[in-house]
Structure formats: structure tokens, C-alpha cells
């Protein structure tokens, strides 16, 4: 292993600032879109996007990110992590500009997918540079400081989106990425050497193609079901079947590769596989309930984007408090005794959406979101850290790649399934209210509650708008029940899994020398 060049302390601190800026950029982008969905669905202020198109606008980013991230680590090993990092930032900035001026939903979906490609290139390189720049105790401190950017992004994203949507057009939430990316590019060019691994991993084009194709086909079938409201059509079940088959072939191919970018053997281990299954189910539920939350606050309750952004701050605050709280509790209690109750509470808060209505006080909603964020924060970080730390050091990088991919895949499927359930139930519920409407009005009202409200205003039918609100709330109630069941299943899995022992209950050797023994796979895929 070639040791990293020695840098001054001030230079390393500046590198950390640049990395935190890039991490903040990605986390902001992950959160601002949810605050923009209601605007994008509006035919006048946005693009008039239907629920399926909004599912793709959200899911295309996550899908590209999930399937390309582990390949991006190998590219950094081969061509240098700064080179890949800069390429990812350039793609992210260019596609943000493209998204900002998208003239239709299809263009926005394509731009969001390109943004996901940029993020997939940025994330592994960002972690690799952090690991190369800092060593020994300074590395642990740097990682702790670096991780705060996620919490800041979660809290600031919805509020920033609300401010921009209140003063500018919807494209401003993407346009703001461009100057930040340009500043980060300048910092990378001046401060960061082009680290690369002395033993680069082989690329895995077959695995990448199979995983992308499989997830795209699966997501298409699931989202299509919500558009046509039946599961029996060929254009619904055939893509789902093809997607599952391609993903099965992907696993078989990765099992035969000498150095797989995604190692399915790790998932065969009871602890690691079960823990990741629980995380995947939780992220499925989080993505789905977040999708509902965006339309409930702005659409059904009529909050402004800024008001909705501020209403979501308790979720981020709870998540920020939850992770360190769980870490402290795990020093005295088995990790299972901390995370299983937390995941159960998270599931119950998601089921709590089934009791929200058009007249629910905002304070009650914010209290629910605070508890939900706290519970989720007590699960994701501690369980992920425990699973990775329990692996041998030379497998930690591969384990991190698997865990990140499982979590992102859970989010993709959660958005697809959650949005489809919402669309199906809404259309069934709104149908009785459309008997005395004309064909064009009926067709538009069937698309979504957002479209129904718009056409109701245009034809002066306030009763239709009220019916759309009621239909949406009923759909949210039904969906919340299924989402809570999925999250509870995750709690059951976590209960069965023998989670690793953490804290003082486990004595583990650590220190600068052991950190330096990590192979290039670890630093690039983390």
C-alpha cells in the first residue's frame, strides 16, 4: 500500500471543508425534490406531472445512484479518485442545469437520472479522499465532523426549497446546485491530489448492465400498475417478471466473478444478510411515507412550500438526535434491545398517517414526525455501523457497497410500490364523484388529486376539489397501513437476527496501524 502524501493540517482542514460542501450538496438535492413534488404536479406552476412521472423523477435518481455507485469506486481505483470526483461533479452540475429548464416531465426524469449518475461517481470518491487525507485518530474525528453534513442537509433542504419555491420558479431548486458544484470543483483542483489505488479493482460491466436493466424493468412494472390500476395487464406483470429474472441473473454472475463489485455471498451470512434486509425494508417504508407526506402537507392541507418545509424540520432534528442516542444506549444494552423497539415505533408512526385528516392540527403532525425521525435515526446509523464493523477489515469495503446498494434499492421499490398503491386507491375512491362531470374533466380528475383540484377551480366545482382531498386522504390511509406492515416486518427480521455486540461489551483492536491495513476496496466503496 502506497502511503498518502503528508499534508499540512490547515490543508487537510480545507479538504474536509470541500468534502463537506459536496456531501451537503447531495443531501440537499435528496431532500429538496420531495418539497417540490406538489408544485411539479400543478399544471400551471409546474409541469402537470402525474403520480407515475413523479415516481420516476424521484426513483430515476435513486436507481442510477444505487446501481452505479459500486462501479464508481473501481473507476476511482483505476483513474484516480479526484478525476472521478470532478467528473461526477461536472455531470451533477450539468444535469442540474438541464433539470432546472426541463420543459416536460420526461426531460426532468432523464435529467434526474443523470444527476444520479453524478452522485454515484461523487460518493465513493468523496469517502476515498477522506480516508486517504486523514489517518489515525484524526480520521475518526474527520468522519464524525463530515457526517454532520447529512443532518444539516436533511434539515435545511425542505426549508431552502420552500424559500426558493416561494420566490422563484420550481427550477431554482436545481439551479442552485450549479454554483455550489463549481466552487467545489475549484477546491478539488487546488487542494486534493489525485489519489489512486496501487491495486485497482476490475470493472464489472456485465454486473452493472444486469443490475440497471433489472431494477428499471421492475420499477417500470410497479409504476405502470398504478397508471393502469390493474396488475393483470401484460405491460405490468411482464416487466416485473423480466426485472426479477435479470436481478437473479445478476446475483449468479456476481457469484462467479473473482472480485465482484457486489458480493451476494455476504448476504448469505445470517447477521449481515438479515440486518441488511431489515434496513432495506425500513428504507422502503421511509421512501414511501415521505412520498405521501409531500402531497399531504402541500396538497391536502394547503400549506405553502415554506410552511411544509418548516413542518418537516422535526423529522431531521429527530434523526440527528436519534443516532447518537442509540449509540449511547448500545454501550449499556445489547444493540437489539435498542434498535428493535425503535424500528417498531418508527413503523407505528408510519401507521399513524392512517389517523391524519384534513383537520388534523399541525402541532400533532409535527409531533408525529419528530418521533418518527428519532426512531429512524436510532436504527439506520447504529445498525449500519454494527454490520460493517463486524466484518473482517478486508471485507469492510465490499460490505459497505452491499449495504448502500440494498438501502438505495429499498428506496427505489418503496417509491414505486407506495406511489402505485396511492394511485390505485385514489382512482377507485374518486370515481363515484365523477358521475356528473364531462369527459375531459373526468379524465383529468382521475389522474391525481392535484389535477382534480386544478380542474375543479377551472370549472368552478369546489365539491370536486373536496372529493379529491377526501379520496387522497383515504388512499394515504390505506397506503400507510401497508407501509407500517413492511416496517414492522423489518422489526421482526431485526429481532431474529443476531446483531453484533457493540460498545464496551466488545473488545476490538483498532488504531492507525490497523486502519492503514484496509485495502483499496474499503476506501473506495465505503
Amino acid at each position: 500500500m502506497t502511503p498518502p502524501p503528508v499534508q499540512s493540517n490547515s490543508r487537510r482542514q480545507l479538504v474536509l471543508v470541500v468534502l463537506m460542501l459536496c456531501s451537503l450538496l447531495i443531501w440537499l438535492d435528496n431532500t429538496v425534490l420531495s418539497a417540490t413534488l406538489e408544485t411539479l404536479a400543478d399544471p400551471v406552476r409546474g409541469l402537470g406531472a402525474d403520480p407515475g412521472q413523479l415516481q420516476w423523477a424521484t426513483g430515476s435518481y435513486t436507481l442510477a445512484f444505487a446501481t452505479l455507485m459500486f462501479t464508481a469506486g473501481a473507476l476511482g481505483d483505476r483513474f484516480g479518485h479526484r478525476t472521478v470526483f470532478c467528473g461526477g461533479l461536472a455531470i451533477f452540475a450539468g444535469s442540474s442545469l438541464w433539470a432546472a429548464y426541463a420543459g416536460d416531465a420526461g426531460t426532468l426524469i432523464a435529467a434526474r437520472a443523470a444527476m444520479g449518475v453524478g452522485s454515484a461517481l461523487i460518493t465513493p470518491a468523496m469517502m476515498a479522499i477522506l480516508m486517504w487525507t486523514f489517518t489515525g485518530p484524526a480520521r475518526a474525528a474527520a468522519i464524525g465532523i463530515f457526517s454532520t453534513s447529512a443532518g444539516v442537509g436533511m434539515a435545511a433542504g425542505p426549508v431552502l426549497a420552500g424559500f426558493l419555491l416561494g420566490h422563484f420558479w420550481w427550477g431554482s431548486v436545481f439551479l442552485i446546485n450549479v454554483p455550489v458544484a463549481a466552487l467545489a470543483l475549484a477546491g478539488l483542483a487546488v487542494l486534493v491530489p489525485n489519489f489512486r489505488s496501487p491495486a485497482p479493482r476490475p470493472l464489472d460491466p456485465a454486473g452493472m448492465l444486469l443490475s440497471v436493466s433489472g431494477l428499471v424493468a421492475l420499477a417500470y412494472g410497479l409504476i405502470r400498475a398504478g397508471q393502469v390500476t390493474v396488475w393483470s395487464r401484460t405491460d405490468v406483470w411482464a416487466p416485473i417478471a423480466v426485472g426479477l429474472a435479470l436481478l437473479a441473473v445478476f446475483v449468479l454472475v456476481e457469484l462467479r466473478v473473482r472480485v465482484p463489485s457486489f458480493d451476494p455471498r455476504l448476504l448469505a451470512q445470517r447477521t449481515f444478510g438479515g440486518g441488511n434486509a431489515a434496513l432495506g425494508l425500513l428504507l422502503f417504508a421511509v421512501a414511501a411515507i415521505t412520498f405521501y407526506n409531500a402531497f399531504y402537507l402541500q396538497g391536502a392541507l394547503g400549506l405553502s412550500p415554506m410552511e411544509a418545509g418548516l413542518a418537516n424540520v422535526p423529522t431531521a432534528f429527530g434523526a440527528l438526535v436519534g443516532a447518537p442516542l442509540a449509540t449511547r444506549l448500545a454501550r449499556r444494552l445489547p444493540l437489539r434491545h435498542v434498535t428493535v423497539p425503535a424500528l417498531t415505533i418508527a413503523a407505528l408512526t408510519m401507521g399513524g398517517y392512517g389517523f391524519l385528516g384534513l383537520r388534523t392540527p399541525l402541532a400533532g403532525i409535527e409531533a408525529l414526525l419528530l418521533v418518527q425521525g428519532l426512531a429512524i435515526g436510532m436504527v439506520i446509523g447504529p445498525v449500519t455501523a454494527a454490520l460493517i464493523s463486524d466484518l473482517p477489515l478486508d471485507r469492510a469495503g465490499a460490505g459497505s457497497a452491499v449495504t448502500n446498494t440494498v438501502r438505495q434499492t429499498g428506496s427505489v421499490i418503496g417509491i414505486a410500490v407506495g406511489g402505485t398503491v396511492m394511485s390505485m386507491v385514489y382512482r377507485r375512491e374518486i370515481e363515484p364523484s365523477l358521475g356528473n362531470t364531462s369527459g375531459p374533466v373526468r379524465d383529468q380528475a382521475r389522474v391525481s388529486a392535484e389535477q382534480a383540484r386544478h380542474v375543479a377551480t377551472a370549472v368552478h366545482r369546489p365539491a370536486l376539489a373536496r372529493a379529491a382531498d377526501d379520496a387522497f386522504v383515504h388512499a394515504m390511509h390505506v397506503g400507510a397501513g401497508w407501509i407500517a406492515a413492511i416496517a414492522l416486518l423489518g422489526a421482526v427480521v431485526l429481532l431474529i437476527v443476531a446483531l453484533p455486540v457493540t460498545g464496551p461489551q466488545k473488545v476490538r483492536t483498532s488504531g492507525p496501524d490497523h486502519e492503514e491495513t484496509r485495502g483499496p476496496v474499503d476506501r473506495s466503496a465505503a
Side-chain angles (χ1 to χ4, degrees):
M1 178 68 58
T2 303
V6 177
Q7 301 182 69
S8 67
N9 188 52
S10 59
R11 187 183 182 94
R12 287 189 299 163
Q13 290 175 348
L14 288 173
V15 170
L16 181 59
V17 169
V18 172
L19 296 180
M20 290 184 66
L21 181 65
C22 295
S23 177
L24 180 63
L25 178 66
I26 291 176
W27 277 101
L28 284 173
D29 185 73
N30 283 334
T31 53
V32 296
L33 182 63
S34 62
T36 314
L37 292 175
E38 178 70 24
T39 302
L40 291 172
D42 191 287
V44 176
R45 296 181 298 130
L47 298 175
D50 62 42
Q53 291 169 327
L54 294 175
Q55 285 169 272
W56 275 116
T58 305
S60 62
Y61 174 97
T62 309
L63 193 151
F65 185 78
T67 54
L68 298 178
M69 186 168 54
F70 47 78
T71 300
L75 290 173
D77 287 348
R78 188 174 298 267
F79 301 109
H81 293 293
R82 187 186 67 182
T83 299
V84 173
F85 200 154
C86 290
L89 274 173
I91 293 173
F92 189 84
S95 52
S96 295
L97 189 62
W98 186 17
Y101 292 98
D104 54 64
T107 303
L108 178 62
I109 291 167
R112 287 287 297 167
M115 291 173 71
V117 173
S119 294
L121 295 173
I122 291 169
T123 303
M126 184 163 52
M127 292 306 300
I129 290 171
L130 183 67
M131 300 294 281
W132 274 101
T133 303
F134 295 91
T135 59
R139 178 182 293 170
I143 291 174
I145 296 172
F146 175 79
S147 64
T148 61
S149 59
V152 174
M154 289 173 59
V159 178
L160 176 63
F163 173 80
L164 293 172
L165 292 172
H167 294 81
F168 307 99
W169 96 112
W170 62 264
S172 60
V173 301
F174 301 115
L175 193 62
I176 197 172
N177 294 336
V178 178
V180 179
L183 181 62
L185 273 171
L188 283 172
V190 173
L191 297 170
V192 180
N194 196 25
F195 302 121
R196 69 181 70 198
S197 170
R201 287 171 287 163
L203 300 178
D204 186 14
M208 183 180 68
L209 181 62
L210 285 169
S211 60
V212 171
S213 302
L215 279 176
V216 167
L218 179 60
Y220 175 84
L222 292 172
I223 294 174
R224 184 63 178 160
Q227 294 174 321
V228 299
T229 67
V230 293
W231 293 96
S232 57
R233 285 179 44 154
T234 305
D235 58 348
V236 173
W237 63 261
I240 293 175
V242 170
L244 292 173
L246 288 172
L247 291 175
V249 174
F250 165 67
V251 171
L252 293 175
V253 168
E254 294 300 289
L255 287 172
R256 294 175 178 271
V257 176
R258 186 175 60 85
V259 185
S261 53
F262 177 93
D263 192 350
R265 297 174 189 85
L266 292 173
L267 294 176
Q269 301 176 17
R270 178 183 173 185
T271 298
F272 190 82
N276 273 286
L279 287 176
L281 291 169
L282 174 58
L283 267 295
F284 174 107
V286 169
I289 207 70
T290 302
F291 194 74
Y292 288 11
N293 177 67
F295 296 105
Y296 173 63
L297 293 178
Q298 294 187 52
L301 297 187
L303 300 183
S304 69
M306 176 61 82
E307 291 170 336
L310 291 172
N312 277 302
V313 169
T315 306
F317 178 76
L320 280 172
V321 173
L325 175 61
T327 301
R328 289 194 172 202
L329 291 174
R331 293 173 184 167
R332 301 185 178 185
L333 300 170
L335 185 60
R336 179 193 297 178
H337 293 177
V338 176
T339 56
V340 172
L343 184 45
T344 303
I345 292 172
L348 293 177
T349 62
M350 294 172 188
Y353 275 70
F355 298 95
L356 301 181
L358 298 174
R359 295 176 178 83
T360 303
L362 187 58
I365 298 171
E366 291 183 341
L368 182 72
L369 294 177
L370 175 63
V371 175
Q372 184 179 103
L374 181 68
I376 292 170
M378 292 180 69
V379 177
I380 294 179
V383 171
T384 301
L387 293 177
I388 299 301
S389 64
D390 194 57
L391 293 172
L393 288 177
D394 62 345
R395 303 295 292 152
S400 179
V402 170
T403 298
N404 282 323
T405 302
V406 169
R407 287 165 54 172
Q408 296 297 329
T409 301
S411 297
V412 170
I413 305 304
I415 293 167
V417 174
T420 291
V421 170
M422 182 178 73
S423 296
M424 285 183 163
V425 178
Y426 167 79
R427 292 190 185 188
R428 184 185 66 199
E429 195 69 14
I430 194 67
E431 198 62 40
S433 303
L434 303 179
N436 297 323
T437 58
S438 61
V441 172
R442 186 185 307 115
D443 292 341
Q444 191 169 352
R446 282 173 177 160
V447 172
S448 67
E450 289 70 35
Q451 298 276 3
R453 295 185 198 103
H454 174 74
V455 73
T457 301
V459 300
H460 306 290
R461 294 280 299 272
L464 178 58
R466 289 194 295 270
D469 288 338
D470 291 337
F472 168 79
V473 169
H474 178 73
M476 182 180 70
H477 290 170
V478 173
W482 285 103
I483 293 167
I486 293 295
L488 281 174
L489 178 59
V492 171
V493 172
L494 211 54
L495 179 64
I496 297 171
V497 170
L499 285 174
V501 178
T502 59
Q505 306 166 64
K506 177 178 181 178
V507 179
R508 185 181 180 130
T509 305
S510 61
D513 294 338
H514 286 80
E515 292 287 355
E516 291 305 317
T517 62
R518 296 193 179 199
V521 174
D522 172 56
R523 287 193 301 272
S524 300

